[in-house]
Amino acid sequence: MRMILLNPAPLSVLHVDTEALTQELKACTANNCRMRGDVEEAIKWRVASIDEELPIWRKLVEDYRAIEYVGWQFPEYRYSKEDPVCVLREARQELLSRCAALAAFFRENISAEK
């Protein structure tokens, strides 16, 4: 079994400065939600949930050896604003660059079919 953590922040969830990490996570999450088109109330709710989620994310990486992708550049809004096949190829390449075993979760060829 493999667990992955797609972290949009430039700091690992294991970063020792929890305040700096939390602020980065909240800023990145808020930006991704805005880019996706979420309303401000939904963005505030999502950002507020990070305080409860961060200890769990840390536990996944520390205790359960989840693979953390720091600075994840493929938030869901990109799939609707850019060529989704191109974005999917780039995301797949990034995932496989850290863990080749994840190849089992992808079809052999990603085509332009929708």
Side-chain angles (χ1 to χ4, degrees), residues 4-9 25 57 67-72 74 95:
I4 59 174
L5 178 65
L6 306 177
N7 174 358
L25 280 167
W57 297 337
I67 301 166
E68 180 185 14
Y69 291 84
V70 177
W72 183 249
F74 304 96
L95 288 167

Side-chain angles (χ1 to χ4, degrees), residues 9-56:
L11 302 172
S12 169
V13 297
L14 301 180
H15 189 73
V16 294
D17 185 346
T18 301
E19 181 63 30
L21 170 61
T22 301
Q23 293 309 311
E24 288 286 350
L25 280 167
K26 288 180 175 185
C28 291
T29 299
N31 181 63
N32 287 343
C33 289
R34 279 189 192 90
M35 295 297 292
R36 184 173 64 188
D38 292 8
V39 297
E40 281 303 312
E41 187 64 28
I43 294 169
K44 287 179 187 175
W45 178 85
R46 178 66 193 101
V47 168
S49 71
I50 289 171
D51 293 324
E52 293 179 24
E53 295 172 12
L54 180 56
I56 297 164

Side-chain angles (χ1 to χ4, degrees), residues 24-109:
E24 288 286 350
L25 280 167
K26 288 180 175 185
C28 291
T29 299
N31 181 63
N32 287 343
C33 289
R34 279 189 192 90
M35 295 297 292
R36 184 173 64 188
D38 292 8
V39 297
E40 281 303 312
E41 187 64 28
I43 294 169
K44 287 179 187 175
W45 178 85
R46 178 66 193 101
V47 168
S49 71
I50 289 171
D51 293 324
E52 293 179 24
E53 295 172 12
L54 180 56
I56 297 164
W57 297 337
R58 281 185 161 155
K59 188 165 186 66
L60 288 173
V61 175
E62 284 180 324
D63 298 347
Y64 298 102
R65 300 178 52 161
I67 301 166
E68 180 185 14
Y69 291 84
V70 177
W72 183 249
Q73 296 295 310
F74 304 96
E76 68 180 281
Y77 76 82
R78 287 192 57 195
Y79 295 88
S80 62
K81 296 186 184 267
E82 301 173 31
D83 177 356
V85 173
C86 183
V87 176
L88 182 59
R89 284 185 182 131
E90 291 175 20
R92 177 181 68 174
Q93 184 59 38
E94 180 67 20
L95 288 167
L96 295 176
S97 73
R98 295 274 317 276
C99 183
L102 294 175
F105 296 99
F106 295 99
R107 291 187 308 189
E108 188 63 32
N109 295 306

